[in-house]
Amino acid sequence: MKLVIKLIAGILVGLLLGLYAPEWVVYLLFTAKIVIGHLITFTIPLIILFFIMSGIASLPENSGKLLGKTIALSYFSTIVAGLLAFTIASYLIPLLTTATESTVSAANHKLSSYVNLEIPPLFGVMSALAAAFVFGIGISVTGATELHRVADQGRDIIERLLAKVIIPLLPFYIAGVFVEMTVEGTVFTTLKTFGVVLLMAIVMHWFWLSLLFISTGLALSRSPIVLIKNMLPAYFTALGTMSSAATIPVALQSNKNNGVRDDIVNFTVPLCATIHLSGSTITLVTCATAVMFLSEHLAIPGYGTMLPFIMMLGVIMIAAPGAPGGAVMSSLGLLTSMLGFGEASIALMIALYLAQDSFGTACNVTGDGVIALWIERFS
């Protein structure tokens, strides 16, 4: 919650400085935004490479069909959640919000950075993804312990970079973006949309969980109300901790209260904390749709564009929830390469996502209970 408060403070500071600060202060904050943006762009392929490589290499061995069924169910749930979110968001957002309109000030007041410091990534997003799968699967098959250790240590370094450098700098980055939007005259339309989008994402989390538990309860001849009630401790723990990993002990007990066998629970809950990300997907798709609607140079695409994006999203976020802001950070490469997001759009995505991160995590963890129920049924 401290991070959310800092992000809100960054938005307010950027707004006030854009309206009242001297020009040199505005340009200084804009310069900081440019530099931090380059650092984020540099880090994205490293997040994808080390998180996914470590995640694949750490999958349980000798689990056979149980592992395959858990991965397939988790991925299917993530894809369906993303498609449902896009269907609802693409219909409601144009009805509930107003698109950003170009103004005279937007044309006449373009900021420039004091320094032109570029930090090009070591490799592209797709190269990082391909390398992560090649080495992750290779480590799992060959048992290359040294390379596995390198993958885990690289993941730990990137987690530390996110936690100690990039995440603390995000309020300054957001402030720089809102300074720019204030100068260009588009900030108030954007802020008006923020509340609508955040509320929509949270309501869609609840709708998705209701759909999962009602359909599962009816199919398995169990009471959906009892199933949801037993998972509430895990939901509220995730809401408070904002961490899937920290919620695992409570999630284990909640799933056992639903009558799932201990061996199934002990296998599925830790695994699903890494690979089942329906709540994060709902948030990312909803926020991305809103940002595209707000941006003059972007338009809400059709299913032909969004389906491949959502399918890649389900893969690229593997193991990402273990790091602060990992889900949204790992998705930035896809947003730029597949949806054409620019720097301002990326900053809006980060702000929107982190503002409701706890609700997305709670949806992820609670939805894991449904996966555990079905895995027990299939086993």
Side-chain angles (χ1 to χ4, degrees):
M1 296 307 298
K2 289 182 180 179
L3 176 60
V4 174
I5 293 172
K6 289 177 181 178
L7 289 174
I8 294 173
I11 292 172
L12 294 176
V13 168
L15 176 61
L16 293 174
L17 291 180
L19 291 173
Y20 304 114
E23 189 176 85
W24 68 269
V25 175
V26 172
Y27 277 82
L28 185 63
L29 192 55
F30 180 75
T31 301
K33 171 242 180 186
I34 295 295
V35 174
I36 298 170
H38 283 308
L39 178 61
I40 292 173
T41 304
F42 172 81
T43 309
I44 290 169
L46 299 178
I47 294 174
I48 294 169
L49 174 64
F50 287 112
F51 280 27
I52 295 181
M53 181 165 64
S54 175
I56 294 175
S58 300
L59 289 175
E61 296 180 6
N62 302 321
S63 302
K65 294 181 180 180
L66 198 62
L67 175 61
K69 290 175 181 177
T70 305
I71 293 175
L73 272 176
S74 300
Y75 188 64
F76 178 75
S77 171
T78 300
I79 300 304
V80 174
L83 289 174
L84 180 65
F86 175 68
T87 301
I88 297 174
S90 60
Y91 176 74
L92 289 182
I93 286 176
L95 295 179
L96 300 177
T97 60
T98 304
T100 303
E101 297 178 0
S102 59
T103 61
V104 175
S105 60
N108 294 337
H109 295 80
K110 289 293 183 182
L111 300 179
S112 59
S113 174
Y114 282 134
V115 296
N116 293 317
L117 176 64
E118 293 190 7
I119 313 174
L122 295 176
F123 34 76
V125 171
M126 298 309 297
S127 297
L129 184 61
F133 271 93
V134 169
F135 285 105
I137 295 172
I139 292 170
S140 179
V141 171
T142 63
T145 55
E146 293 298 325
L147 195 53
H148 193 173
R149 189 177 297 114
V150 170
D152 290 343
Q153 290 173 345
R155 180 204 60 203
D156 293 341
I157 290 171
I158 297 302
E159 284 185 2
R160 185 66 62 88
L161 175 65
L162 287 172
K164 301 298 183 181
V165 180
I166 293 180
I167 297 297
L169 287 176
L170 283 182
F172 299 97
Y173 182 60
I174 299 299
V177 170
F178 275 83
V179 158
E180 184 180 14
M181 287 194 295
T182 302
V183 171
E184 294 184 350
T186 60
V187 67
F188 292 107
T189 302
T190 302
L191 285 176
K192 189 169 66 173
T193 306
F194 257 45
V196 174
V197 174
L198 292 178
L199 181 61
M200 185 186 300
I202 293 170
V203 170
M204 277 199 280
H205 291 157
W206 296 339
F207 175 71
W208 174 245
L209 289 176
S210 300
L211 189 64
L212 283 180
F213 280 95
I214 290 173
S215 59
T216 298
L218 293 176
L220 301 181
S221 300
R222 303 280 300 275
S223 169
I225 296 176
V226 172
L227 294 177
I228 293 176
K229 178 184 174 183
N230 289 335
M231 290 302 299
L232 286 180
Y235 182 90
F236 286 107
T237 302
L239 206 62
T241 61
M242 299 175 69
S243 169
S244 298
T247 311
I248 285 176
V250 179
L252 289 171
Q253 187 58 51
S254 294
N255 280 278
K256 292 176 183 178
N257 291 341
N258 270 337
V260 183
R261 297 201 320 263
D262 286 4
D263 59 327
I264 299 295
V265 170
N266 294 336
F267 175 81
T268 56
V269 170
L271 179 59
C272 287
T274 298
I275 64 175
H276 184 226
L277 305 165
S278 56
S280 298
T281 303
I282 287 172
T283 304
L284 287 168
V285 171
T286 303
C287 293
T289 304
V291 170
M292 286 186 287
F293 181 72
L294 282 172
S295 303
E296 295 179 5
H297 64 285
L298 296 174
I300 298 177
Y303 287 95
T305 299
M306 286 304 294
L307 178 59
F309 170 74
I310 294 169
M311 293 177 69
M312 289 294 294
L313 203 59
V315 173
I316 213 163
M317 288 193 299
I318 293 175
V328 67
M329 289 299 175
S330 62
S331 72
L332 297 184
L334 293 182
L335 291 168
T336 55
S337 62
M338 298 186 72
L339 298 184
F341 275 38
E343 226 174 278
S345 301
I346 289 296
L348 289 179
M349 276 296 300
I350 294 173
L352 280 168
Y353 182 88
L354 292 179
Q356 65 69 65
D357 190 22
S358 57
F359 288 93
T361 302
C363 183
N364 291 339
V365 170
T366 309
D368 294 347
V370 171
I371 303 296
L373 288 165
W374 280 109
I375 291 301
E376 183 183 50
R377 172 70 177 80
F378 290 145
S379 66

